[in-house]
Amino acid sequence: MPRLTQYNYVFAIGTFFAMLDAFNNGANDVANSWATSVSSRSISYRQAMVLGTVFEMLGAITVGARTADTIKNGIIPNSAFQGNPGVQMLAFTCALAGASSWVMWCTRHSAHVSSTYSLISAVAGVGVATVGASKVQWGWNDGKGLGAIFAGLGMAPAISAGFAATIFMLIKLVVHVRKNPVPWAVWTAPFFFLVAATICTLSIVYKGSPSLGLAKKPAWYIAAVTMGTGGGVALLSAIFFVPFVHAKVIKKDYTVKWWMFIMGPALFNRPAPPDADRAAVPDYAVVQEDHDDASSTASPKAGREGAAAGNVESESDVDNEKDVRPDVPALAQRHDVPLAELEHQATYKELMAQGQERFHAKLRQKRGPLGWAMRTLHDNPMGPGEIYEFRNMKTLAKRIPAIITAGLLYGMHYDIHAAQTGIHGTPEGERMARVYNAAKKYPNEVEHVYSFVQVLTACTASFAHGANDIGNSVGPWAVIYAAWNTGSAAASKADVPVWQLAVLSATISVGLITYGYNIMKVMGNKITYHSPSRGSSMEMGAAITVLVFSQFSLPVSTSMCITGATVGVGLCNGTFKAVNFQRVGLLMISWIATIPIAGTIAGVLMGIVLNAPHF
C-alpha cells in the first residue's frame, strides 16, 4: 500500500512526542541509574554523561528491539485496529503525548517516576478509548500483557533489593569485616570484575539481538562466549588491575600514574618512595568540606535550582526577595499564624536563598559559556512594568541567549552531592545527617578498589537500561512510522529499524546531559549513604534484575530496580535508620500515581480527537 501522505502531520507530531519521551527517559530514568555512581564519587557527573551516552546507545541498538515488540503489540492487539493504519497512528501518538507530558512535568519538579510504566499506562488508556476495555490485554498474554508487566511493579524492586543485598553482604563478609581489609579488597577484585563482565556479556549474547542473529546460536555457544568473556576480563584485571591498585593502596606509591597499569606484574617489583606513608586515593566521603563554601551549601531548591530554559533566576532576584521580606509580627497578626512558625519558615527560605546565591556566584566566576550566561542574567535583571516595556524588551533580548545557554550547560556544573545532602539547619539536612550517621564508613583505600569495579557495573547498568527502556519510546514510534510508511496496520509487527533505535538513544543521552540533574539530586545519597563498594553492589543487583526481565520481553522500570537495590544495600547497615524511608515513600506514591494519571491523559486525548465532530 502507498505511504499515507495525508497523515504526514500525525507522523510529525508522533515523532516529536517520541523524542520528547526519549528525552524524559534520559532525564528521569537514566539520571537515576547513574545517580549511584555519581553519588559514590566513583565518577563525576560529566564522566557519567559520556559513558551513559556510549552504553545507552550500545544497549539500545544491539538488544533493545525485543522489549519494543511488547510495547508495540503486547498491550493492544493489532487486530483491534481493524486494518485502519490512520487510527493506529493516532492511538500511539496520543499515548506518547500523554506519557511524555506527564514525565516532563514530573522531571521539572524533581518527582522521580517510571517512564516505562508511564508509557504502558498511556497505551492502555488509549486502548480503552479506541477499542474498549475488553480488547486491551489485561491478563498475562504469554508474558506480554498488562498483568505480566505490572507484576514487575512489585517484583522488580524486591528482586533487585535481594540481588544487591546479597552482593554487598558478600563484599562485607569477605572484605569489610577484616582487621586489615585493604589486601582482601585488592586480591578479590577480579572476582567482581568476573561477575560484572559476565552480566554485560550475557545481556548481549543470551537470546541475542534479532539484528545480530545471536538467538539462533546453540546453548553451548552462548555459555562459552559468556563465560569466556567474563573470565577474560577477570584475567586481565588480575594481570593489570591488581598490580596497579596494589602499588597504590598497599605499597602507597604516590608516584604511580594511571597509565602505568600497562606495566602489569612489573609493578610488584617497583620500589615505593621512602616517604610513602599514605595512599594517594580520593576521598569518597559523601560530605566534604569546601574551604570556599561550607559543605552544607546546596544548590538551589527543587523547582528553583533548575536554570532550565525559561526558568533561570538571577542573583538580583534572590536579593530582591530577601530585601522585601515583610515584617514578621505584622504578617503573623494578619494571617493569624503563630510567630514562631513564621520565623522558622522565613529562616528556611533564607537558608535556601543563601545556598542558591553561593552556588550561582561560583558559576559566574567561570570563564566558559555558562559563566557568561550567568553573568549576563545577573547583570541584566528585568525591570519594573510589563514585559512589553521598551526597556524590558531590550533586556529580554540579552537574556534569551543566556537562558538557552544556561539551560543547556547548567546541569554539567551542578553540585549533585550538596543537593543530595541538604542544607544544614533545614529539616532535610537534619534528616540526611541522621541517615548518614547510621551507616558505617569504610577506609578510602578499600573504596578506591571498588570504584574501578563500579565503573564497569555502571556501564553494565547503563547498557541494561538501553536494552530495556529504549522500547518505551521506540515501540510506539516504530508503529507510527510503519503504518505511515506502508499504509498498513499490520506492518507494526515488523522489526524496529536500527536507525530509529539510534536516534532515540541519542535523544536519551541529551536528556541525561541537559536535564538529568533534576532527578539525580533527589536520588542516590538522598535515600541512603553511598560508597563505591555499596554502589557497585546496587548497580550489579539492578542490572541482573533488568536483564532477567528483558530476556523475557517484559518492560521493567530501571528506576524501580535501582531504587530497590539502594534500599536493600542500605538495610545491610543493620538498622532502618540508615534508609530515608520518607524519600522512598514519596517515590512509591509517584510510581502508583503515574498509572492512573498517564493513562487518563492519553485516553482522554485519544477519545476527544477520535470522536471530535467534523464536517
Side-chain angles (χ1 to χ4, degrees), residues 77-129:
N78 194 62
S79 59
F81 294 104
Q82 301 177 3
N84 191 324
V87 174
Q88 189 180 51
M89 290 177 62
L90 180 63
F92 283 95
T93 297
C94 291
L96 285 169
S100 60
S101 299
W102 166 246
V103 178
M104 187 68 182
W105 185 89
C106 292
T107 304
R108 173 64 185 84
H109 293 86
S110 299
H112 176 231
V113 296
S114 169
S115 59
T116 301
Y117 283 89
S118 178
L119 184 63
I120 291 171
S121 302
V123 172
V126 165
V128 173

Side-chain angles (χ1 to χ4, degrees), residues 81-239:
F81 294 104
Q82 301 177 3
N84 191 324
V87 174
Q88 189 180 51
M89 290 177 62
L90 180 63
F92 283 95
T93 297
C94 291
L96 285 169
S100 60
S101 299
W102 166 246
V103 178
M104 187 68 182
W105 185 89
C106 292
T107 304
R108 173 64 185 84
H109 293 86
S110 299
H112 176 231
V113 296
S114 169
S115 59
T116 301
Y117 283 89
S118 178
L119 184 63
I120 291 171
S121 302
V123 172
V126 165
V128 173
T130 306
V131 296
S134 61
K135 296 295 183 66
V136 177
Q137 300 291 347
W138 300 104
W140 196 261
N141 190 27
D142 295 328
K144 296 184 179 181
L146 288 170
I149 295 170
F150 284 117
L153 183 64
M155 292 192 303
I159 294 174
S160 185
F163 279 130
T166 300
I167 295 173
F168 180 67
M169 287 304 297
L170 181 62
I171 296 175
K172 191 173 182 179
L173 294 174
V174 173
V175 178
H176 288 319
V177 299
R178 305 287 178 176
K179 291 183 179 180
N180 186 13
V182 177
W184 285 88
V186 172
W187 298 114
T188 60
F191 169 75
F192 295 100
F193 277 106
L194 169 66
V195 175
T198 301
I199 295 171
C200 188
T201 307
L202 187 64
S203 64
I204 302 175
V205 178
Y206 178 64
K207 289 191 175 180
S209 171
S211 60
L212 299 179
L214 297 177
K216 301 177 182 179
K217 300 295 183 180
W220 66 265
Y221 177 87
I222 295 175
V225 172
T226 301
M227 297 307 299
T229 304
V233 172
L235 180 61
L236 290 174
S237 67
I239 296 175

Side-chain angles (χ1 to χ4, degrees), residues 89 139 294 446 554:
M89 290 177 62
V446 174
L554 292 176

